């Protein structure tokens, strides 16, 4: 099977902060191991030496990634690669890809991956536009482009059962009949970030470290985390390490949304909160996680998946999480909270109760076993067959 994987990268200067790139970098070699011929078309190479690479332009903004597909480039690429399958990681590009396949006369299967959902649902079932994609009222056009992408695909892939439920509901509201085209295929874990929790050592006498390793966008609920952080560190039993995953961003990105910089400054001003950076180095990132006692999930309502949560769990770190979205599906119910007081109680128990921590460290580690890249590659190829 010849697979052409079309990957949008919004921040090529900080690839370690781009979950779509990390996903492709882990998945492409696993697909090659399974016998597929893979070419990645992206602004930066992903995979290993067995994977082909075609360099594409950086879209500039998240809106250009959804509205500025180059059909001439797609036609040339499809003619050159002669794929059996084309994967659109930016599903909004699927209509343009379908147009290119038509022009070439290719019967390649077109699969769209719903890596990011531009909507979520309230507890009452109301469809809510993602605020990160709703500048100057663009949220509804993005939603319609997402629906058009689903309609153009032979397969529609999502990360989780939660995402499948949301995508199915959104498709039905926009008169897109998914039929039997929807598949749940989770993202692979990074095997470099897997550690048997039994081998973890606790530093006696030191405050337990809670790690927050998510992007600091406002739409991730970071402001709620800022308020929670004050409560978490109040007793002194817990200190926090907050990952600065972006570093210095391009003006085009900060111009659209400067919330990561503002949130970072607010967190840096709190006592017992340290801002840390992995500097794009996965070994340094692993070491930062290894020093932590537990992880903290984001407050993002439309969370269909969190690679950062999986990173923590693979390292044997229990993760406390608000009871919403995929987090409520995946995180152990004992570690989900609805109020700040519950979150503080969980954090302090994980910090001080070794037996409670050991039980949940083992559960966290085990919860990622099905996300090994070879297993995910098998599910991926099954979905494409």
């Amino acid at each position: 099977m010849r697979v052409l994987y079309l990957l949008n990268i919004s921040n090529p200067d900080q690839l370690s902060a781009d979950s779509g790139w990390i996903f492709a970098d882990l998945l492409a070699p696993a697909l090659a191991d399974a016998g597929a011929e893979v070419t990645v078309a992206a602004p930066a190479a992903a995979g290993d030496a067995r994977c082909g690479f075609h360099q594409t332009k950086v879209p500039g903004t998240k809106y250009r990634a959804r509205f500025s597909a180059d059909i001439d480039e797609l036609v040339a690429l499809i003619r050159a690669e002669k794929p059996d399958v084309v994967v659109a990681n930016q599903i909004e590009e699927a209509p343009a890809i379908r147009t290119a396949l038509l022009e070439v006369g290719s019967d390649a299967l077109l699969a769209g991956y719903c890596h990011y959902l531009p909507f979520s649902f309230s507890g009452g079932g109301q469809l809510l536009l993602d605020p990160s994609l709703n500048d100057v009222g663009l949220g509804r056009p993005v939603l319609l482009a997402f629906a058009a992408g689903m309609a153009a695909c032979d397969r529609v892939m999502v990360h989780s059962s939660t995402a499948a439920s949301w995508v199915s509901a959104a498709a039905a509201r926009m008169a897109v009949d998914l039929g039997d085209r929807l598949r749940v295929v989770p993202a692979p874990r990074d095997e470099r970030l897997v550690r048997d929790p039994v081998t973890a050592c606790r530093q006696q006498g030191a405050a337990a470290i809670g790690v927050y390793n998510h992007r600091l966008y406002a739409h991730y609920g970071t402001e709620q985390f800022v308020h929670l952080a004050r409560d978490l560190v109040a007793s002194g039993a817990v200190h926090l390490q907050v990952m600065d995953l972006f570093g210095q961003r391009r003006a085009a990105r900060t111009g659209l949304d400067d919330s990561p910089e503002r949130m970072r400054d607010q967190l840096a001003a709190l006592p017992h909160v340290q801002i840390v950076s992995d500097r794009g180095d996965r070994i340094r990132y692993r070491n930062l996680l290894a020093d932590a006692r537990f992880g903290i999930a984001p407050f993002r309502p439309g969370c269909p998946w969190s690679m950062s949560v999986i990173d923590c769990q693979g390292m044997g770190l229990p993760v406390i999480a608000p009871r919403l979205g995929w987090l409520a599906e995946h995180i152990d119910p004992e570690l989900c909270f609805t109020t700040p007081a519950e979150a503080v109680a969980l954090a302090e128990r994980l910090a001080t109760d070794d037996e409670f921590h050991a039980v949940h460290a083992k559960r966290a580690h085990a919860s990622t076993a099905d996300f090994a890249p070879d297993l995910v590659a098998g599910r991926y190829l099954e979905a494409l067959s």
Side-chain angles (χ1 to χ4, degrees):
M1 180 186 293
R2 294 175 61 86
V3 178
L4 175 59
Y5 194 105
L6 303 178
L7 174 63
N8 166 49
I9 296 174
S10 59
N11 194 11
D13 301 325
Q14 293 286 339
L15 290 176
S16 64
D18 192 303
S19 57
W21 180 84
I22 292 173
F23 184 6
D25 195 49
L26 298 171
L27 180 64
L31 291 173
D33 287 341
E37 296 180 47
V38 183
T39 295
V40 177
D48 59 22
R50 295 169 297 167
C51 303
F53 172 58
H54 175 85
Q55 188 163 25
T56 58
K57 293 179 291 186
V58 179
T61 72
K62 53 194 169 185
Y63 296 109
R64 281 179 176 260
R66 288 162 171 83
F67 297 128
S68 62
D70 187 333
I71 295 179
D72 288 336
E73 181 181 37
L74 289 169
V75 166
L77 187 55
I78 292 166
R79 281 181 174 148
E81 294 298 327
K82 299 179 175 59
D84 301 307
V85 176
V86 179
V87 176
N89 196 58
Q90 191 75 58
I91 193 168
E92 292 90 342
E93 290 189 337
I97 298 167
R98 178 64 76 192
T99 300
L101 290 169
L102 175 65
E103 289 191 18
V104 173
S106 170
D107 61 356
L109 181 142
L110 175 55
Y113 206 99
C114 301
H115 183 69
Y116 192 101
L117 304 185
F119 59 87
S120 62
F121 284 92
S122 70
Q126 180 185 4
L127 189 148
L128 305 173
L129 298 176
D130 190 310
S132 74
L133 290 166
N134 197 24
D135 296 283
V136 296
L138 279 167
R140 190 154 297 281
V142 169
L143 178 62
L144 293 173
F146 186 90
M150 291 192 292
C153 288
D154 300 302
R155 299 285 187 277
V156 176
M157 296 189 287
V158 295
H159 293 88
S160 63
S161 296
T162 297
S165 174
W166 287 350
V167 165
S168 296
R173 294 186 186 205
M174 292 180 282
V176 175
D177 182 7
L178 292 178
D180 64 350
R181 293 180 289 145
L182 187 64
R183 303 287 189 277
V184 176
V185 184
R189 72 181 183 184
D190 188 338
E191 296 298 303
R192 294 167 294 185
L193 303 176
V194 176
R195 176 188 63 172
D196 187 336
V198 173
T199 66
C201 297
R202 181 187 178 191
Q203 293 183 344
Q204 296 299 321
I209 295 174
V211 65
Y212 187 84
N213 57 331
H214 310 283
R215 295 188 275 187
L216 299 178
Y217 289 120
H219 66 274
Y220 271 60
T222 312
E223 191 166 0
Q224 289 175 266
F225 172 67
V226 172
H227 293 305
L228 177 61
R230 294 190 180 98
D231 296 334
L232 289 174
V233 301
S235 72
V238 171
H239 289 186
L240 298 179
Q241 284 191 344
V242 176
M243 297 280 192
D244 176 16
L245 297 174
F246 286 139
Q248 188 69 32
R249 295 190 302 152
R250 290 179 289 113
R253 290 172 62 77
T254 58
L256 279 177
D257 184 354
D258 67 350
S259 61
E261 287 74 21
R262 290 188 287 104
M263 297 293 109
R264 181 181 61 199
D265 292 344
Q266 290 181 33
L267 286 162
L270 298 178
H272 305 310
V273 175
Q274 182 184 16
I275 307 297
V276 297
S277 172
D278 63 7
R279 306 191 197 106
D281 182 339
R282 296 301 270 182
I283 301 303
R284 176 173 168 78
Y285 179 54
R286 176 192 168 91
N287 291 338
L288 288 168
L289 294 182
D291 289 339
R293 179 79 166 171
F294 64 92
I296 306 166
F299 285 79
R300 180 182 163 202
C303 185
W305 187 262
S306 171
M307 188 168 284
S308 296
V309 166
I310 301 301
D311 292 344
C312 287
Q313 292 179 318
M315 291 289 290
L317 300 184
V319 177
I320 64 172
R323 204 180 306 274
L324 49 78
W326 167 76
L327 301 169
E329 170 192 333
H330 177 73
I331 302 289
D332 191 301
E334 282 193 295
L335 297 182
C336 290
F337 59 84
T338 55
T339 68
E342 291 174 356
V344 171
L346 283 171
E348 293 188 349
R349 188 173 181 189
L350 288 170
T352 59
D353 186 335
D354 288 341
E355 183 177 353
F356 181 73
H357 182 275
V359 167
H360 283 286
K362 290 179 182 177
R363 290 180 185 175
H365 181 264
S367 73
T368 72
D370 289 342
F371 308 144
D374 60 331
L375 298 179
V376 171
R379 293 177 68 172
Y380 212 91
L381 292 175
E382 181 181 1
L384 300 179
S385 64

